[in-house]
Amino acid sequence: MVLVGGCTVPLGSETTTRTSGMPAEDSVGGNLTIEQVLVQNGNFSTFLEAIERAGLKGAFTGPGPCTIFVPTDEVFAHLPDAVMEELFNDPKGNLAEVLLYHLAPGRYTISEITAAKTIPTVQGSPITVEATGGEVRLGGAKVVGSEILATNGIIYIIDAVMIPSEILLEAETAGAVVNITNTTNVTQEKTLELANFNSSPSSAEETNQSSEG
């Protein structure tokens, strides 16, 4: 994998040609970059702090284009303290790997994502796509709301922190990580989220039943 100034492409990836897209004139982000959109929104301070800690600001602020999948501060707030501490205590290791797993080289519209089986990432491991009934999940994380266009790429808000299958956290083995899903025969994708993050009555009931079992 080559990491050069932002929105990088793994060597040999088919997506190396996916770098000519231009931002739409009526994009939500207007003339703002991905970083500027996230800063102005105000709900992604933890993700931005993680990027700073990992020394990856250049990877997320380059000319692109790239596609970024971003958990909100609320998602991070619901993660177990042990998970957050483990990630932030290893900024150049596991934290960097996790962040790059949320970054895809090239500009992916929602229609292109739903039509794909997997999305390549700068980290190297692909994210599995599941699109059913109008709901889109990436590695188990649900896409929330519409795509947000920026000058150097597209932003999607997700309701979980995605972890590549090769990253094994000590907190996970201790039972702090929930919602582990097998989405392909090749790659086990893991998401970190509160078991009852979706607070619908049916979701809460299912969570209670599973805990009682």
Side-chain angles (χ1 to χ4, degrees):
M1 179 178 70
V2 178
L3 186 61
V4 184
C7 300
T8 57
V9 181
L11 288 176
S13 170
E14 295 179 356
T15 61
T16 53
T17 59
R18 197 179 244 294
T19 58
S20 59
M22 297 297 292
E25 294 181 359
D26 59 346
S27 64
V28 175
N31 294 322
L32 301 179
T33 65
I34 288 174
E35 180 188 27
Q36 290 170 332
V37 171
L38 297 181
V39 170
Q40 288 199 8
N41 183 280
N43 290 309
F44 306 102
S45 58
T46 304
F47 190 83
L48 291 169
E49 179 187 353
I51 291 174
E52 289 278 0
R53 292 279 293 272
L56 293 174
K57 188 173 181 179
F60 288 84
T61 58
C66 59
T67 302
I68 181 173
F69 310 106
V70 191
T72 63
D73 289 340
E74 182 181 4
V75 172
F76 282 104
H78 282 100
L79 295 184
D81 291 340
V83 172
M84 291 294 289
E85 290 177 6
E86 185 172 349
L87 288 174
F88 276 78
N89 286 339
D90 187 19
K92 305 295 184 180
N94 284 345
L95 180 60
E97 290 288 312
V98 168
L99 291 172
L100 293 176
Y101 192 57
H102 290 71
L103 182 65
R107 180 182 294 274
Y108 283 86
T109 65
I110 191 63
S111 59
E112 290 173 323
I113 289 177
T114 56
K117 293 183 178 180
T118 60
I119 300 295
T121 69
V122 174
Q123 186 270 340
S125 298
I127 301 173
T128 300
V129 178
E130 292 182 275
T132 56
E135 181 177 281
V136 180
R137 288 187 175 272
L138 303 169
K142 181 180 177 181
V143 175
V144 181
S146 304
E147 59 192 22
I148 302 173
L149 306 185
T151 59
N152 58 341
I154 301 180
I155 303 166
Y156 292 94
I157 301 173
I158 55 177
D159 70 350
V161 176
M162 301 182 296
I163 305 294
S165 60
E166 62 270 24
I167 299 298
L168 182 61
L169 302 176
E170 292 182 8
E172 179 183 347
T173 60
V177 177
V178 297
N179 194 25
I180 299 178
T181 59
N182 273 308
T183 53
T184 69
N185 292 328
V186 179
T187 303
Q188 182 183 46
E189 313 244 3
K190 295 172 283 186
T191 60
L192 304 179
E193 60 181 338
L194 199 64
N196 60 345
F197 184 86
N198 295 317
S199 57
S200 64
S202 58
S203 297
E205 182 179 351
E206 292 173 1
T207 301
N208 292 333
Q209 291 177 349
S210 61
S211 60
E212 292 174 358

